[in-house]
Amino acid sequence: MKYLVTGGAGFIGSNFVHYLLQTYPGCTVINLDKLTYAGNLDNLKDIAGDARHHFIQGDITDETLVESMFCEGIDVAVNFAAETHVDRSIGDPAAFIKTDVYGTYVLLEAAKRCGIKKFIQISTDEVYGSIEHGRSSIETDQLLPRNPYSASKAGADRLAYSYYATYGVPVCITRASNNYGPYQYPEKLIPLFVTNLLENKPVPIYGDGRNVRDWLHVMDHCRGIDCVIRNGADGEVYNIGGGNERENIEIVNLMFGHLGKPESLKQYVKDRLGHDRRYSLDSAKLARLGWRPQVEFAAGIRETIDWYVKNRWWWEKLKSGEYWEYYRKQYVDREQK
Ligand code: NAD
Ligand code: TYD
């Protein structure tokens, strides 16, 4: 089987590349990634030299490049490539619309022209919007995205569906909840807070710290995507939730407890604009295809924290240059609560 993985130098994409090579020894993986600030070849260091993996630095909005790759023959495409950080989308949405929406269109056009066995569009639980109370989102619920990131992802999600409904491209769409695990860029909650704490720096908790996210181990996410590739019906959407809804402050307390850090490093700061209160996924549809999350949450979080403890070489060099420019804009001088 020949896979095209886009965004395979990012957090989830690089874990998925590892997953494919380990799970399917006979597979070939073409990895197309632009290497934005979030793309990192260190995520693929341990498979450098593996002849089954071909890395190509390139942009999914580049029609000529994308079409030539598809027309060389690809069995399955999995589109992870995206701008992914909500806070950055609030400050500067343009790149989100270009990559997440237009880039997805370019990939779908190439799949339509050149043919493919399965096209997986990696969407997100954030497309459902904020689920303040009540039951978890199911795949047929309305989409009510509330920030430029989730709105761009919702656009791509429905565009992918339209290529199935209109042209018969064999598309499946997955909507996963918040992932945690190794190789996550230290702008997202868990790696940002763990690495700040390891440097004895304060952690910026937005609002009252009681927003809820459903946490999914990245390897359970990879297994869920694989299940959809193998068993998913064309044109269908599948939620992939961890079943671990937690308030942010609970996650923060786990990190403080595990690392033995003082309460004085907790800093409550002005809330994110339009901050979604809660995401909540019902994953019964994927469970009917045989998928279950396997990583127990408390153990998974501990292992993840320990991974950042042991791999300072990986994140220390990321916290420099552009990172500090972003960090300064985002956090320095931010009003405290
Ligand atoms: P990430 O930011 O770590 O990685 C994104 C990757 O895409 C990077 O390697 C980057 O270089 C690449 N990229 C960006 N623009 C590109 C372009 N124009 N052309 C080619 N490559 C480009 O993101 P992630 O957390 O690994 O998320 C991967 C996917 O999963 C995204 O589509 C995201 O919306 C979705 N998702 C993420 C989560 C989560 O919790 N992280 C949850 C649900 C869904
Ligand atoms: P994040 O990791 O950015 O994921 P998303 O917003 O896509 O769910 O944030 C997870 C939660 O943590 C979210 O409720 C916002 C909160 N958060 C903070 O409190 N402080 C921070 O510095 C960051 C980055 C996030």
Side-chain angles (χ1 to χ4, degrees), residues 10-12 33-34 36 39 59-60 80 84 99 123 149 153 179:
F11 165 46
I12 306 172
D33 195 295
K34 185 180 177 181
T36 66
D59 193 322
I60 60 164
F80 292 97
T84 62
T99 288
S123 188
Y149 164 67
K153 292 296 292 185
N179 281 220

Side-chain angles (χ1 to χ4, degrees), residues 60-63 66 70 101-111:
I60 60 164
T61 66
D62 179 339
E63 279 106 342
V66 166
F70 271 80
V101 184
Y102 191 79
T104 301
Y105 151 74
V106 170
L107 294 168
L108 288 163
E109 266 299 304

Side-chain angles (χ1 to χ4, degrees), residues 26-293:
C27 75
T28 303
V29 181
I30 315 287
N31 183 348
L32 173 64
D33 195 295
K34 185 180 177 181
L35 296 180
T36 66
Y37 76 93
N40 183 354
L41 290 178
D42 279 347
N43 300 4
L44 302 162
K45 206 172 177 176
D46 53 341
I47 52 168
D50 187 323
R52 298 170 301 160
H53 175 237
H54 306 271
F55 181 79
I56 294 165
Q57 182 172 4
D59 193 322
I60 60 164
T61 66
D62 179 339
E63 279 106 342
T64 314
L65 173 67
V66 166
E67 180 148 340
S68 74
M69 293 177 75
F70 271 80
C71 286
E72 269 173 31
I74 283 163
D75 297 305
V76 176
V78 187
N79 180 28
F80 292 97
E83 291 291 336
T84 62
H85 193 38
V86 172
D87 291 321
R88 290 187 192 247
S89 85
I90 292 167
D92 191 3
F96 288 74
I97 293 144
K98 279 185 199 137
T99 288
D100 301 15
V101 184
Y102 191 79
T104 301
Y105 151 74
V106 170
L107 294 168
L108 288 163
E109 266 299 304
K112 182 183 91 178
R113 284 207 215 106
C114 305
I116 195 147
K117 292 192 183 117
K118 191 69 102 181
F119 185 108
I120 306 287
Q121 173 60 17
I122 304 296
S123 188
T124 163
D125 61 355
E126 307 198 16
V127 298
Y128 294 113
S130 189
I131 314 300
E132 305 276 331
H133 308 286
R135 74 157 175 78
S136 306
S137 305
I138 57 172
E139 288 81 354
T140 47
D141 282 352
Q142 62 183 336
L143 305 188
L144 289 170
R146 300 178 65 253
N147 60 61
Y149 164 67
S150 53
S152 302
K153 292 296 292 185
D157 177 314
R158 291 299 81 198
L159 193 61
Y161 176 74
S162 80
Y163 270 66
Y164 163 75
T166 311
Y167 308 113
V169 177
V171 167
C172 285
I173 296 136
T174 62
R175 298 183 185 144
S177 59
N178 283 64
N179 281 220
Y180 68 97
Y183 301 119
Q184 188 170 30
Y185 190 79
E187 64 186 350
K188 305 276 167 51
L189 178 75
I190 291 177
L192 171 66
F193 280 29
V194 170
T195 58
N196 272 16
L197 289 177
L198 291 172
E199 295 175 311
N200 293 312
K201 291 192 177 128
V203 298
I205 303 166
Y206 294 164
D208 62 3
R210 300 196 59 194
N211 296 64
V212 173
R213 297 293 183 265
D214 170 12
W215 295 94
L216 170 70
H217 193 275
V218 66
M219 272 302 141
D220 279 330
H221 188 186
C222 293
R223 285 185 277 267
I225 296 165
D226 191 18
C227 180
V228 172
I229 293 172
R230 262 137 245 290
N231 308 313
D234 293 346
E236 292 294 318
V237 178
Y238 296 91
N239 288 342
I240 312 181
N244 301 299
E245 282 184 41
R246 298 285 189 282
E247 290 185 350
N248 291 338
I249 193 63
E250 293 178 64
I251 306 291
V252 174
N253 286 337
L254 283 175
M255 296 188 241
F256 272 70
H258 193 62
L259 294 172
K261 296 293 175 180
E263 288 290 303
S264 56
L265 290 178
K266 283 184 189 163
Q267 198 169 68
Y268 283 86
V269 300
K270 187 166 174 269
D271 209 353
R272 171 187 280 174
L273 296 177
H275 194 175
D276 287 340
R277 193 62 173 168
R278 171 175 171 247
Y279 301 131
S280 178
L281 280 184
D282 180 328
S283 307
K285 186 173 173 183
L286 188 58
R288 286 196 290 278
L289 297 188
W291 174 85
R292 298 272 180 297

